[in-house]
Amino acid sequence: MGVPGPVPSSAGKPHGPVMDREEVDRALARLGAEHEAIETSLLALQDHAGRRLLEGADLTGTTKRRWASTEQVISLLWTHFEVYTEALREARGLRAKRRWPGREELVELTELLRGPSVTIPGSATAAPVGPAASELPPTLTGPARLSEQLSLEELVERMNAWYAQALDVVVAADAIWSALPARIDLLSAELQRTRSLAHSVGVRPGEHPAGDDLERITAGLTALRAEVVSDPLAFWSPAASGSSAPGGGRPDTSRYDREARALEDVRREIEAVLAVRQDAERRLLHLRDLLSRADRTLTEARQARGEVLAKIAASEVPAVSGPPTALHEQLATAADYRRRAQWHRLSPLLDSLEERAEDELIRARESLTAVTAPLAVRAELRGRLDAYKAKVARHGMAEDPLLMERYDLARRMLWSAPCDLRAAEAAVLRFQQAAAEVLVPRQAGAPGAEDRRAEDEGGS
């Protein structure tokens, strides 16, 4: 139950009704629990692994500035906590004097528990100077004062705000140090394995783009780790939701992620180079075989062209090109790339050579076919002539004078050198026509062989 009458403040204004004994006891219990919680939090902050790392690290940049301000905040926290402890001890001592305190005692307790009864010394209210001042809460960046009067509730609120700020810095730094350096070390180990594999397949800086990329990634990871260790807070992204919880946010891994993606790209490139190396000998052998077959085919075509020109009286026999010298030179270059382990140059060259070698073999075959076409025509005419002669013989007409004459003429043309294919083809056609007439059953009034001979002689 309250005691009537307000409690006057130091300025003469009331701070509210005088607290009764039960209210005083409840307030002391609450303040005692808050004191214990604050002490526990400050001790935990003192022993926090992140704080110990920050104290012992050679800091730079954002972390150096924020930690400088945070150290001042922590120092002020302990100073304020000592003031809070002394004020709570004084209030408890006053309450312990009497089991049933009188009005004067209740008025004094009310002033201690609710009024601005706590005096903060000037050393604890002076504003810091230097770069760290910009990182401090507004309550620390005002003008310096000799002292400051606060209530216990205001003192608790201030300590809670400062504690949250200090803990946010410590937790964020610890989160970065716990996450990024270990991940960078794992990526660096993967990088070393990739470098060893790259060296084994001839991927080296200055000789292969992937080798240059590995050098850049190595330098990038080294610099990234050094920056993370010395300035962890530069890699902290606050929570997008604006959360005020200590450590609200996440590590910024964008630079790490870029290096990891770059290393993965290099690893795939090296795997492709390894596949090229393993397949290079087979592909080179296949290319040599293709070009060898093309050379042999062209040689055969040139020989066939000489034979055709000697045996066939024809002016349309196509010329035969020489061997694919450029392809042979590029094949030698490919073999040199393989010896020098320049796989990044070998792979595209082999792709181009394989396509062109296939085309060269097709061209050589087409050239051989075009050159030997007259011989094929002569062979076909010879076969047709002999086939009709055999057919006529089966029908007992082999001794027919006209057929024998036309056969002998066609045969002399086909087996002479050079052979006039047009005239020979016309002679074979006349023999075919004569044979066809002989083999058709005689019709009434059909002219005999003598009559046909007379017609031929008259027509000639």
Side-chain angles (χ1 to χ4, degrees):
M1 183 173 63
V3 178
V7 178
S9 66
S10 58
K13 296 181 180 179
H15 289 293
V18 177
M19 301 170 66
D20 61 19
R21 180 177 62 86
E22 293 180 354
E23 290 176 326
V24 167
D25 290 341
R26 286 196 299 270
L28 286 173
R30 176 177 53 79
L31 292 171
E34 289 178 345
H35 178 274
E36 183 177 350
I38 292 172
E39 183 179 31
T40 301
S41 298
L42 288 176
L43 292 174
L45 179 62
Q46 195 75 11
D47 293 334
H48 197 287
R51 181 182 181 276
R52 292 198 298 270
L53 290 172
L54 285 165
E55 284 183 337
D58 185 12
L59 302 175
T60 61
T62 301
T63 307
K64 182 177 182 178
R65 293 192 302 272
R66 293 191 64 184
W67 176 240
S69 68
T70 301
E71 282 188 307
Q72 296 184 55
V73 168
I74 293 174
S75 176
L76 291 173
L77 270 173
W78 282 107
T79 301
H80 282 59
F81 179 70
E82 291 172 0
V83 174
Y84 180 77
T85 301
E86 183 59 32
L88 183 60
R89 182 184 298 112
E90 181 182 353
R92 283 173 171 173
L94 181 60
R95 175 64 183 88
K97 286 182 179 180
R98 296 176 59 183
R99 181 178 180 184
W100 300 96
R103 174 176 173 77
E104 291 183 1
E105 293 167 331
L106 290 175
V107 169
E108 187 175 357
L109 284 169
T110 301
E111 179 67 17
L112 286 174
L113 297 176
R114 287 183 175 174
S117 59
V118 181
T119 302
I120 306 299
S123 61
T125 61
V129 296
S134 62
E135 304 288 344
L136 293 175
T139 54
L140 290 182
T141 56
R145 287 171 287 184
L146 295 177
S147 64
E148 186 179 10
Q149 295 295 125
L150 298 174
S151 67
L152 289 175
E153 183 177 352
E154 291 171 338
L155 187 59
V156 169
E157 289 178 356
R158 176 178 293 184
M159 286 191 292
N160 284 337
W162 288 354
Y163 174 78
Q165 182 208 11
L167 185 62
D168 182 67
V169 171
V170 171
V171 169
D174 186 54
I176 294 293
W177 278 329
S178 299
L180 270 179
R183 295 176 66 180
I184 294 172
D185 291 342
L186 288 175
L187 189 61
S188 296
E190 176 64 23
L191 173 62
Q192 291 305 316
R193 289 191 292 270
T194 304
R195 284 169 64 94
S196 298
L197 180 61
H199 186 79
S200 69
V201 297
V203 175
R204 299 179 179 87
E207 299 179 5
H208 192 290
D212 297 332
D213 290 340
L214 284 175
E215 288 297 301
R216 185 197 58 75
I217 295 170
T218 300
L221 285 180
T222 301
L224 177 61
R225 195 184 194 287
E227 292 177 34
V228 167
V229 170
S230 66
D231 191 10
L233 295 182
F235 298 87
W236 183 255
S237 296
S241 60
S243 172
S244 59
R250 61 177 181 82
D252 180 4
T253 62
S254 56
R255 281 179 59 184
Y256 167 87
D257 294 337
R258 284 197 300 271
E259 301 296 351
R261 287 193 297 270
L263 180 58
E264 178 62 21
D265 292 340
V266 171
R267 188 185 62 78
R268 284 197 295 266
E269 176 68 18
I270 292 173
E271 288 179 351
V273 169
L274 184 59
V276 170
R277 186 186 73 167
Q278 294 171 344
D279 200 38
E281 188 61 35
R282 181 193 63 79
R283 296 177 73 183
L284 285 172
L285 288 174
H286 178 62
L287 278 170
R288 292 190 184 99
D289 178 64
L290 286 176
L291 292 180
S292 176
R293 289 158 59 190
D295 287 346
R296 292 195 303 268
T297 303
L298 287 175
T299 300
E300 184 180 352
R302 284 191 292 271
Q303 294 173 349
R305 187 173 189 274
E307 180 182 354
V308 169
L309 292 176
K311 296 180 178 181
I312 306 296
S315 60
E316 63 271 11
V317 180
V320 179
S321 63
T325 306
L327 289 182
H328 283 286
E329 291 175 352
Q330 291 181 342
L331 181 60
T333 301
D336 184 62
Y337 285 162
R338 182 185 178 281
R339 284 192 299 272
R340 297 174 180 270
Q342 295 179 337
W343 310 109
H344 65 295
R345 296 178 178 175
L346 177 60
S347 182
L349 180 57
L350 287 178
D351 292 340
S352 173
L353 279 175
E354 284 173 340
E355 181 178 355
R356 294 172 62 191
E358 292 281 0
D359 293 341
E360 182 63 26
L361 180 57
I362 293 173
R363 186 183 66 81
R365 288 172 174 169
E366 291 174 346
S367 181
L368 178 60
T369 300
V371 165
T372 57
L375 293 177
V377 172
R378 189 185 67 171
E380 190 274 332
L381 291 173
R382 286 178 174 181
R384 195 194 314 170
L385 181 65
D386 290 341
Y388 269 88
K389 180 185 178 183
K391 188 175 182 180
V392 168
R394 285 197 304 271
H395 288 79
M397 303 297 295
E399 300 301 326
D400 185 281
L402 181 60
L403 293 179
M404 291 177 63
E405 180 183 346
R406 291 188 177 181
Y407 172 78
D408 290 340
L409 178 61
R411 191 177 189 284
R412 282 195 306 271
M413 289 183 177
L414 288 172
W415 266 266
S416 62
C419 173
D420 186 340
L421 284 179
R422 291 188 179 88
E425 184 177 11
V428 171
L429 183 59
R430 286 197 298 272
F431 175 73
Q432 286 182 246
Q433 292 172 346
E437 292 176 359
V438 168
L439 296 176
V440 174
R442 292 177 177 272
Q443 299 295 328
E450 294 297 331
D451 296 331
R452 292 195 300 274
R453 178 189 295 273
E455 291 175 1
D456 290 339
E457 291 177 350
S460 63

